[in-house]
Every structure is written in C-alpha cells, then in structure tokens.
Amino acid sequence: MKVIGINASPRGNESNTLKLVNAVLEGAKAEGGAETELVDLYKLHIEYCTACGTCYQSGECTLLDDFPDLFDRIMNVDGIVLGAPNFIDSVPAPMKAMFDRMADAIHCQMLTGKYGCSVCTAGGSNQDWVVGYMNRVLTTLGATAIGDVGVAIGRDPGALGLAIQDAYKMGEKLARSIRGEHKYPEQDEIHRQKRDYFCQLVKYNKDRWPHEYEWHVKMGWIQ
Ligand SMILES: Cc1cc2nc3c(=O)[nH]c(=O)nc-3n(C[C@H](O)[C@H](O)[C@H](O)COP(=O)(O)O)c2cc1C
C-alpha cells in the first residue's frame, strides 16, 4: 500500500496544513503499513497549462517541468492526500496549476481505483469549501474521496490539535478503504456516470484525441 501526501503551503516545515497531511500519512502507516511519501508543491516547478491539447492527442505534455514526474508518482500510489491552506477561499496557485495540468487525466479517469482525502487550515473560515473543492477534483479524476478535515485556527489555536487527531483517524480510514473495508456506492455511481460521459466525449473526438480513445479501449470502457 502506497500513499502520497501533497501539501501546497509556501511555509514549508512551518505549515500548519502540513501537520494535518503528516497526521493522515501517520494514520495510514499505522493502520495499513502504508509506504508514504510527502511532496511540498512549492518546491516543485509546475507551469500553467497552455490549453494546447497535445495531451489529449498523445498523452504527453509539451511543457518541460516537474509535473510529469509528479504525475507518475501519483499514478504509482493507492492513496492521495491533498493539503492546502485556505487562500482567498480557494487553493493556493501551485495546487490549481497542478489540477489544470490534469485535464487529460480527467478525460481518461486515470485515478480510477484510487482513494483520496483532503485537509485544509484557514485563518478564519471556509476551510470546508476548500476541502470540498479538493475532494471534488479527486472524484472528477476518478478517485474515491473518503473524507476531509478542515479547521480554522486564527481565533482558536487549540483547534489544530483536535484536527490533527481527526486527520490521523482519517488516515486509518484511508488505509481501510484501500483494503476494501469501506464501501462508497454513491461515489461508485458518480464514477460510472462520469466514465459514460467521457467515453461519449472521447468517441466523438476519436480522430483528434487518439491517445484518449486508445486509453478508453485499453480500460475496456469502449468495446
Ligand atoms: C494569501 C493568503 C490568503 C489567505 N486567505 C484566507 C481566507 O480567505 N480565509 C481564511 O480564513 N484564511 C486565509 N488565509 C490564512 C491561511 O489560510 C491560514 O493562515 C492557514 O492556516 C495557513 O496554512 P499554512 O500554515 O499551512 O500555510 C490566507 C493566508 C494567505 C497568506
């Protein structure tokens, strides 16, 4: 069992959000013996998507930066933990840049079969919007979102300690989910509908997007 934590705070080891990401990883390690790795997104160089469409066509990106290696690492794990501080009611720019580079992965539902969860710290509010957004992105990519932990710490620094405990428990649940011990029928249905939708889209664009067509055929989603 492999789990990757991706934290998007500019504050490196001082990041409060990092404490939550690490707690999830610790929980997954304790419950499932997960092999874990941590990525500080601010240490990577991730360019903005240029919407050239080459990835739809060939599966390759024309930009030369750290994204392809990061995506290979994501494809190599069973569980993904996303961490972000609330930056103006959304995720920090590097996290959004990473998401925007995954349009091909969304068309191909490349995170199918993986499990994920999200954590956020905020100064004052709307941490739930941010974790909700990150979990929706995971679901849109084909992964199953097993939970979230969001906490506002500006006026209650003690809240972080409780959130760390919740994050640890969520890590345990992540490991159990990967082992197949939790069922998510509602998300299974959402994934079925998304696969159907993207199958139709990819079939319609078969000549322009040969890589995506071949992916869907290889997965057995297009007969
Ligand atoms: C650019 C910026 C934007 C922020 N926007 C919000 C916000 O909209 N709402 C909020 O509650 N806190 C906001 N904060 C506060 C951070 O979310 C909060 O300090 C968070 O715990 C930082 O996490 P970190 O230690 O992992 O970097 C913002 C902080 C920065 C630097």
Side-chain angles (χ1 to χ4, degrees):
M1 181 185 300
K2 290 184 185 165
V3 179
I4 192 169
I6 302 175
N7 193 43
S9 162
R11 299 194 327 115
N13 288 337
E14 298 300 308
S15 162
N16 283 316
T17 313
L18 178 63
K19 296 189 174 97
L20 298 183
V21 173
N22 278 334
V24 180
L25 296 179
E26 287 304 317
K29 208 183 286 180
E31 173 70 31
E35 193 184 306
T36 62
E37 60 177 310
L38 180 68
V39 174
D40 181 342
L41 214 49
Y42 272 82
K43 292 219 171 94
L44 300 187
H45 173 208
I46 298 180
E47 299 260 356
Y48 301 142
C49 173
T50 62
C52 68
T54 305
C55 58
Y56 300 160
Q57 209 183 321
S58 69
E60 302 291 331
C61 182
T62 57
L63 298 170
L64 299 174
D65 62 8
D66 292 326
F67 177 77
D69 176 63
L70 174 61
F71 190 68
D72 282 350
R73 288 160 77 182
I74 292 171
M75 286 299 284
N76 194 33
V77 298
D78 310 290
I80 300 138
V81 185
L82 298 179
N86 175 352
F87 273 16
I88 325 291
D89 291 345
S90 188
V91 294
M95 178 73 86
K96 184 63 167 70
M98 178 184 81
F99 290 159
D100 290 352
R101 296 286 291 281
M102 294 186 177
D104 174 51
I106 287 173
H107 284 184
C108 293
Q109 295 290 281
M110 283 186 188
L111 300 197
T112 297
K114 299 186 191 297
Y115 292 83
C117 58
S118 299
V119 297
C120 173
T121 65
S125 60
N126 294 337
Q127 61 278 2
D128 295 340
W129 294 6
V130 179
V131 287
Y133 170 63
M134 291 191 285
N135 272 354
R136 272 199 306 284
V137 173
L138 286 171
T139 311
T140 301
L141 282 156
T144 297
I146 66 104
D148 59 72
V149 173
V151 61
I153 54 183
R155 279 170 297 177
D156 181 9
L160 184 61
L162 292 176
I164 288 172
Q165 290 175 25
D166 289 343
Y168 183 90
K169 285 185 204 139
M170 187 164 72
E172 294 176 321
K173 185 179 178 194
L174 179 62
R176 289 195 302 274
S177 299
I178 292 168
R179 282 204 305 255
E181 291 169 21
H182 290 277
K183 299 292 170 213
Y184 300 89
E186 283 176 19
Q187 288 190 66
D188 291 346
E189 177 56 22
I190 291 169
H191 289 140
R192 200 190 56 71
Q193 289 175 13
K194 278 194 194 300
R195 263 202 313 274
D196 281 358
Y197 169 78
F198 284 115
C199 261
Q200 296 309 320
L201 183 73
V202 164
K203 262 198 225 168
Y204 183 77
N205 289 285
K206 181 181 176 199
D207 296 335
R208 288 200 304 148
W209 301 344
H211 143 76
E212 295 195 342
Y213 185 81
E214 281 157 25
W215 180 278
H216 278 253
V217 170
K218 190 180 83 183
M219 296 302 289
W221 298 334
I222 291 177
Q223 309 301 327

